[in-house]
């Protein structure tokens, strides 16, 4: 617990550094078919190519922007009020929901009526929204009825990143190896609808989270990443967690999971959701366990059900539910090196053994579906038996659970409940692909959402890297969302710098995966940055990077002067040795000699390389 | 240039932090067949499993130790004297070399006789050694004559890491996917000899580098990593570079390349080699260019030849030689996004164009071989046309050069000169394998030595990670050595912290590759660390990691007290939620109920999983 009373920290603002717009970037909104569909993007303007290299105009680059209103200078941020409820008109127009008179959860009501919590309570001026009796308000349900929702249109525009207007030169990229993903050149709202109806993608979007800017998760879309935050009994306050969320989305988290297990997690969650433009996920069993004072055997369906409703009415967009930890699988873990390492998995395993009964999440799975569809909460079916060490990778327990998760997927789909599946863990590189293939097979292409996987166990303090390797690979193979791992994994609670490093590492993994899959347009930013690099447009190089601040800071450690930003070298090589400068000299020299390299190249392209060897040699043998 | 006179920094010692033994580790020497073969390893002692978990003894773990005498408290370090010449008796016994009366290089003599350099000159009390006339002193030459040298025996012992005495339980690991590598369970000196004779592995070991602890590079051995150091015209001093070398090998660099391009690179190199227990590589064209004041067109064979001899007599173990940048390939780069990004490549391209002549390194390749075999310098055939952006990956220029490098490999082998091949660069994940396959094919399995590759261009400041992903993958596919990339890549000269982060990242990549290949024994350290983690032996977990200091530092940020080192939780989850603790509770509970989980597991293993589902359920249905 933080030593100071938690509410003292609840000021209106968040850290200035977390909301500052990036250099040469501005927030733009691409309009949809109706005025309240405004899809945010970050436009990065670029300088012209220097005169000595052709004085070319370089078009701006649009990048996916997860940072919400925080980086929009026109929006006044006051976290005590939360973000604007942009989606409210959308579900009002659908007419299948109603505002309840008050909270439905007993626990939620208790907290609301506890005067000692008044000062830390978010001041929400509305009651929860729920599906009208007999209605199903999930995006999957609409999709299957053939309805394109504003959420679907929003994500379609968002996924395209304005690449429809770009020239072939700017978008040129290598054909990918997609392993069966089929990503169209332009994402249409109808394509989004089809993918959601098919169960191959989800838009986690609780109707009690109207502040949300919708995001789609599926193998035929950009690979997404999740950042975990949350307090523990030992550290962190509400304000810290809101700041971590804002900080995480600044660097690119597509969703945030609040994994709080400390005190006041109900109030902490409310503050996070009200201020979050990205989907929020939770693991409700953590809070349920708090309610029974940490005694797993005291858990029961009623407490858990009340927790689901409590969180659904706050606006949680997806729930991790460990319904696949079946009683019979628990003994399969006894000979493992590291037993059960999922917190949820171990809680449920303990419950199963204590009662000699089947997991109550499994037996009540259809009851859970009824709650999910009344608020459009998506399933994230937890892999409670994921391996906690390379030694335990891909073992019987893990794959037995995966088969059950596949069965549960089909039950969820029967209820039109959006569903994704969680995956490992710790897996050596050569065993990663099997995880992806079995998941696609057993879960019929429902989106896969993996933690890492870590490809070796020997680098505590660097597990963002051991896992970033595995994450890039499984993203390439078809994983839809990558759950980040920070440098503090296994060692402690991440601070803001850890969150930043974890997010950037996973943005790298996700983007490397998009490139390898051949996602249309994925290489635009790489091309623009490489061109800037080659033309010594240092500021453009920084600004196009995933972390402009860090790039500039590193460069400026040795060359802080402004003049160095147009210098044709950096401190790594110095002025004489910069190979890019020499390449330019080669081009200039060739031009001065009246030799057109392009002509030589064209000629070479038309002939076989052996022939070109001779041609080329002749071209240059005599001036 | 450093503002202070360089020699003022030349104190006897290196940074205390760089030479401190790691906690609970001691340097051991495994003896070979003769008393002067003493192979260093790091022995990490472990504490016992806590009484509550079985009070088991945990055997020490031996890890590959690149740090040389610096971490041996029995050795007194004085960098003004250099390291002991442990290999001198080995080549004296061979009788095929002679001590020259003095330096053979004109430039070397000039520097030696320049009184203004006296104070920065390393005080070497011996003259260079060279093969007697007509003799070939390369390890490949001995190998092909059937001779097992002490160097070969040394690396055989070193590669085994004492795993021959370990129980099956400790060494248990997943079968790998080796893509054609064939790594025996125990490496014998004869196997080493065969691999070197075949050209599939090299031991870079100049006879003028007697301080060297030999290391082997080849696809059938542990994947190695290289760390680059070196000053530039803008920053760093001699003492800085020696410190960076010592720092690099502390964290695990198997070889070090000195890429200095600033002032006094002759003297800097001497200091580095005299104090280096690992092979030192250089790119001689950098220094040759300095000798012609940075004007590539003024380079010629005589200056280059003198530079090779100068550096060979100092003891450089491998030379990067860009002999594959043929005149005819240069125009192939004109349409690239980023032209020629290899510094050596661009220098030679410029030379070729300026003279309208074939690359003089190509035309003089056999002359170079004559020098290499007189000192046993190994080739690292440079990929001067490697891609500098994803856009340029796997293009015509790159692969044309690779074919030439294959031809040059065969010429080098004709002279029994040890040879490895350098590789890219910037390559999206799905195009990495093609690089490895073509290299194996064209270069007949000569060791591949790659820079990264970077799998995306959009993360300046994090290119250790963008490239660590590619490095792990290409290591898995068969790459023998990975050249590290630091966070400062593209931005500036790395400092010590960057070197550390770069090295650890690449140790992770190399180890992940060993695991995926199924390298025998690769999982020993992972298993030991996972066991320590599960048993809450925090100090063992830190000490078994690649960077014990960082792991401990992270853990102690929130839980600094000594009592927390045996606590069954960390600040990430707190006491109630630690899943490993709960797993232990599950085991205890099951035991208390008289239910043997192991029996259940055994039973499950014998039957089909569906049957086991029923059996398991029955076992637990009633107490």
């Amino acid at each position: 617990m933080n030593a100071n009373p938690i509410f003292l920290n609840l000021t209106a603002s968040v850290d200035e550094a977390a909301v500052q717009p990036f250099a040469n970037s501005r927030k733009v909104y691409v309009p949809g078919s109706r005025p309240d569909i405004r899809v945010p993007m970050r436009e990065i303007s670029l300088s012209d190519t220097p005169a000595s290299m052709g004085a070319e105009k370089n078009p701006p680059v649009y990048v996916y922007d997860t940072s919400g209103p925080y980086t929009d200078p026109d929006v006044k941020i006051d976290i005590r009020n939360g973000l604007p409820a942009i989606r409210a008109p959308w579900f009002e127009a659908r007419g299948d929901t109603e505002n309840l008179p008050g909270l439905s959860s007993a626990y939620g009501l208790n907290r609301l009526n506890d005067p000692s919590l008044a000062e830390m309570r978010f001041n929400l001026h509305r009651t929860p929204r729920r599906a009208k009796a007999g209605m199903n308000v999930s995006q999957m349900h609409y999709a299957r009825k053939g309805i394109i929702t504003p959420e679907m249109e929003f994500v379609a525009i968002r996924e395209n990143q304005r690449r429809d207007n770009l020239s072939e030169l700017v978008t040129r990229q290598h054909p990918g190896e997609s392993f069966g993903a089929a990503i169209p050149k332009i994402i249409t709202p109808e394509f989004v609808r089809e993918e959601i109806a098919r169960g191959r993608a989800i838009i986690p979007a609780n109707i009690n989270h109207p502040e949300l800017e919708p995001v789609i998760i599926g193998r035929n879309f950009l690979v997404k990443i999740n950042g975990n935050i949350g307090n523990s009994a030992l550290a962190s306050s509400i304000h810290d967690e809101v700041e971590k969320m804002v900080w995480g989305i600044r660097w690119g988290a597509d969703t945030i999971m609040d994994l709080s297990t400390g005190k006041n997690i109900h109030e902490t969650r409310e503050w996070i959701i009200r201020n979050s433009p990205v989907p929020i996920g939770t693991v409700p069993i953590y809070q349920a366990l708090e309610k029974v004072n940490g005694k797993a055997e005291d858990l029961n369906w009623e407490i858990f059900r009340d927790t689901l409703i409590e969180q659904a009415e706050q606006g949680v967009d997806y729930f991790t539910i460990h319904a696949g930890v079946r009683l019979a699988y628990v003994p399969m873990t006894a000979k493992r090196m590291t037993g059960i390492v999922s917190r949820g998995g171990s809680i449920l395993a303990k419950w199963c053994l204590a009662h000699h009964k089947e997991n109550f999440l499994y037996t009540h799975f259809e009851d859970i579906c009824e709650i999910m569809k009344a608020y459009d909460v998506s399933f994230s079916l937890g892999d409670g038996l994921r391996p906690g060490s390379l030694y335990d990778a891909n073992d019987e327990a893990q794959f037995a659970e995966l088969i059950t998760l596949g069965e549960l997927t089909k039950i969820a789909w029967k209820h039109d409940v959006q569903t994704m599946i969680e995956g490992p863990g710790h897996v050596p590189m050569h065993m990663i692909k099997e995880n992806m293939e079995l998941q696609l097979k057993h879960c019929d292409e429902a989106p896969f959402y993996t933690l890492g996987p870590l490809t070796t166990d020997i680098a505590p303090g660097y597990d963002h890297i051991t896992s970033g390797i595995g994450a890039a690979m499984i993203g390439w193979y078809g994983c839809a969302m990558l759950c980040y791992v920070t440098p503090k994994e296994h060692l402690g609670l991440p601070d803001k710098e850890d969150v930043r490093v974890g997010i950037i590492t996973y943005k790298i993994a996700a983007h490397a995966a998009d490139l390898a899959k051949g996602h249309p347009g994925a290489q635009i930013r790489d091309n623009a940055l490489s061109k800037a690099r080659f033309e010594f447009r240092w500021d453009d190089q920084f600004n196009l990077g995933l972390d402009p601040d860090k790039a500039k800071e590193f460069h400026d450690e040795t060359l802080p002067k402004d003049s160095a930003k147009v210098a044709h070298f950096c401190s790594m090589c110095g002025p004489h040795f910069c190979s890019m400068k020499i390449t330019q000299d080669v081009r200039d020299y060739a031009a001065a000699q009246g030799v057109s390299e392009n002509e030589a190249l064209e000629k070479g392209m038309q002939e076989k390389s052996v022939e070109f060897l001779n041609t080329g040699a002749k071209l240059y043998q005599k001036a």
Side-chain angles (χ1 to χ4, degrees), chain A:
Chain A
M1 286 271 311
N2 199 296
N4 297 322
I6 286 165
F7 47 85
L8 285 187
N9 290 324
L10 293 176
T11 53
S13 61
V14 289
D15 181 11
E16 194 54 37
V19 299
Q20 225 173 352
F22 289 105
N24 289 5
S25 286
R26 79 188 171 103
K27 169 91 67 182
V28 296
Y29 295 93
V30 180
S33 62
R34 40 187 280 181
D36 61 357
I37 297 181
R38 297 169 69 237
V39 182
M41 296 184 193
R42 177 151 69 96
E43 180 193 79
I44 307 171
S45 359
L46 305 178
S47 54
D48 298 345
T49 299
S52 64
M53 292 167 132
E56 211 177 336
K57 291 267 170 225
N58 293 295
V61 172
Y62 294 90
V63 299
Y64 199 102
D65 186 358
T66 56
S67 65
Y70 293 97
T71 49
D72 184 344
D74 297 339
V75 175
K76 186 168 156 39
I77 297 294
D78 182 343
I79 65 168
R80 293 169 308 188
N81 295 332
L83 300 179
I86 55 170
R87 288 173 64 223
W90 305 350
F91 21 80
E92 269 155 27
R94 291 198 277 261
D96 50 3
T97 57
E98 59 190 355
N99 280 311
L100 299 177
L103 298 176
S104 317
S105 137
Y107 184 85
L109 285 168
N110 277 348
R111 299 296 289 191
L112 184 64
N113 298 324
D114 183 341
S116 75
L117 302 172
E119 281 192 287
M120 71 170 72
R121 192 177 295 127
F122 185 88
N123 193 13
L124 183 62
H125 299 287
R126 61 172 187 255
T127 59
R129 183 182 292 272
R130 192 176 64 189
K132 287 180 183 162
M135 304 299 255
N136 183 334
V137 297
S138 81
Q139 294 289 322
M140 189 179 211
H141 187 69
Y142 301 133
R144 286 178 166 186
K145 288 204 295 188
I147 298 167
I148 293 173
T149 62
E151 286 85 350
M152 297 174 200
E153 186 185 338
F154 189 102
V155 300
I157 296 169
R158 197 170 195 183
E159 291 283 314
N160 287 328
Q161 291 179 89
R162 297 201 112 169
R163 67 171 176 269
D164 37 334
N165 292 319
L166 294 169
S167 73
E168 203 272 329
L169 187 72
V170 174
T171 60
R172 190 178 142 184
Q173 71 185 57
H174 300 286
E177 161 62 84
S178 72
F179 297 110
I183 309 162
K185 212 169 148 73
I186 296 296
I187 304 289
T188 61
E190 170 57 18
F191 179 75
V192 170
R193 190 200 60 75
E194 285 164 14
E195 290 288 295
I196 292 173
R198 166 71 180 75
R200 200 151 50 199
I202 66 173
I203 300 179
N206 186 325
I207 54 171
N208 286 304
H209 190 191
E211 302 88 352
L212 179 75
E213 294 173 349
V215 52
I216 191 161
I217 300 165
R219 69 185 298 211
N220 290 326
F221 300 93
L222 291 162
V223 176
K224 303 303 186 295
I225 69 164
N226 170 68
N228 292 331
I229 61 169
N231 66 8
S232 77
L234 294 164
S236 195
S237 73
I238 290 182
H239 196 265
D240 284 353
E241 296 308 318
V242 173
E243 288 229 330
K244 269 190 220 165
M245 179 274 291
V246 176
W247 189 240
I249 62 174
R250 173 180 183 78
W251 298 112
D254 293 288
T255 81
I256 291 284
M257 288 195 82
D258 171 17
L259 303 184
S260 293
T261 55
K263 293 293 168 198
N264 306 309
I265 48 187
H266 178 87
E267 288 69 27
T268 305
R269 186 187 312 121
E270 186 77 34
W271 281 89
I272 292 171
I273 297 171
R274 298 288 72 80
N275 286 288
S276 173
V278 305
I280 298 296
T282 62
V283 188
I285 200 84
Y286 294 174
Q287 192 188 3
L289 189 68
E290 287 286 338
K291 293 178 183 175
V292 294
N293 302 310
K295 297 192 75 177
E297 52 275 34
D298 290 352
L299 284 166
N300 59 51
W301 165 241
E302 288 66 34
I303 285 172
F304 190 74
R305 179 177 177 278
D306 192 71
T307 305
L308 292 183
I309 293 170
E310 170 203 345
Q311 297 197 10
E313 294 194 349
Q314 287 187 303
V316 173
D317 301 287
Y318 62 92
F319 287 152
T320 294
I321 303 283
H322 296 96
V325 182
R326 298 193 62 181
L327 175 65
Y329 305 155
V330 176
M332 295 180 185
T333 66
K335 276 198 173 165
R336 279 183 160 183
M337 177 70 82
T338 48
I340 301 176
V341 295
S342 150
R343 287 188 275 173
S346 54
I347 293 163
L348 288 157
K350 195 171 177 182
W351 187 93
C352 289
L353 291 190
H355 297 279
H356 305 300
K357 277 192 185 156
E358 187 58 275
N359 181 343
F360 68 89
L361 302 181
Y362 181 82
T363 56
H364 283 279
F365 193 72
E366 300 213 49
D367 298 324
I368 300 174
C369 291
E370 294 298 336
I371 298 169
M372 307 299 262
K373 64 193 185 192
Y375 303 95
D376 197 10
V377 184
S378 299
F379 274 118
S380 184
L381 295 178
D383 57 333
L385 302 181
R386 69 167 178 267
S389 55
L390 293 201
Y391 191 95
D392 295 339
N394 293 21
D395 74 351
E396 188 190 24
Q398 187 195 336
F399 288 148
E401 183 186 30
L402 182 58
I403 291 171
T404 297
L405 298 183
E407 292 160 6
L408 295 172
T409 300
K410 274 131 215 166
I411 296 171
W413 284 356
K414 196 181 73 184
H415 291 269
D416 294 350
V417 175
Q418 303 191 90
T419 302
M420 60 182 169
I421 315 295
E422 296 185 9
H426 295 240
V427 186
M429 282 193 286
H430 66 299
M431 293 167 72
I432 293 174
K433 200 151 187 286
E434 184 182 18
N435 278 278
M436 191 66 234
E437 287 170 347
L438 288 178
Q439 190 274 341
L440 289 171
K441 178 183 157 200
H442 294 310
C443 305
D444 198 13
E445 297 188 74
F448 204 22
Y449 165 32
T450 62
L451 179 73
L454 285 73
T455 54
T456 164
D457 300 329
I458 67 167
Y462 298 83
D463 277 332
H464 58 307
I465 298 175
T466 64
S467 68
I469 294 166
M473 292 174 70
I474 204 160
W476 173 24
Y477 300 149
C479 186
M481 184 156 77
L482 310 171
C483 181
Y484 89 163
V485 171
T486 78
K488 289 277 169 60
E489 183 75 15
H490 298 116
L491 300 171
L493 203 64
D495 61 19
K496 280 176 67 179
E497 183 57 22
D498 298 318
V499 169
R500 175 188 186 177
V501 171
I503 296 282
I504 298 289
T505 302
Y506 273 69
K507 291 300 278 186
I508 289 169
H511 186 69
D514 288 332
L515 288 163
K517 286 166 78 177
H519 192 106
Q523 209 179 298
I524 294 169
R525 192 171 181 176
D526 297 77
N527 292 347
L529 192 145
S530 297
K531 188 166 187 284
R533 183 173 278 160
F534 188 68
E535 294 172 355
F536 298 99
R537 292 183 279 118
W538 286 99
D539 281 322
D540 289 350
Q541 189 191 151
F542 306 152
N543 296 338
L544 285 162
L546 289 174
D547 186 344
D549 304 349
K550 179 73 80 186
K552 188 167 185 308
E553 177 195 320
F554 277 172
H555 176 269
D556 289 0
E557 274 180 26
T558 37
L559 292 173
K561 288 188 190 147
D562 268 358
S563 60
K565 298 298 188 308
V566 291
H568 283 198
F569 56 86
C570 73
S571 70
M572 193 161 165
C573 306
H576 267 171
F577 276 88
C578 181
S579 58
M580 292 204 180
K581 182 168 185 304
I582 293 178
T583 302
Q584 189 57 37
D585 292 347
V586 168
R587 289 186 184 175
D588 294 346
Y589 186 91
Q593 299 289 315
V595 177
S596 160
E597 293 183 67
N598 283 0
E599 279 169 31
L601 182 68
E602 298 290 335
K603 200 165 169 54
M605 289 291 194
Q606 290 156 15
E607 300 168 16
K608 291 197 192 73
S609 64
V610 178
E611 289 168 14
F612 178 59
L613 184 59
N614 300 328
T615 317
K618 256 180 258 161
L619 267 174
Y620 287 93
Q621 216 96 59
K622 292 277 169 209

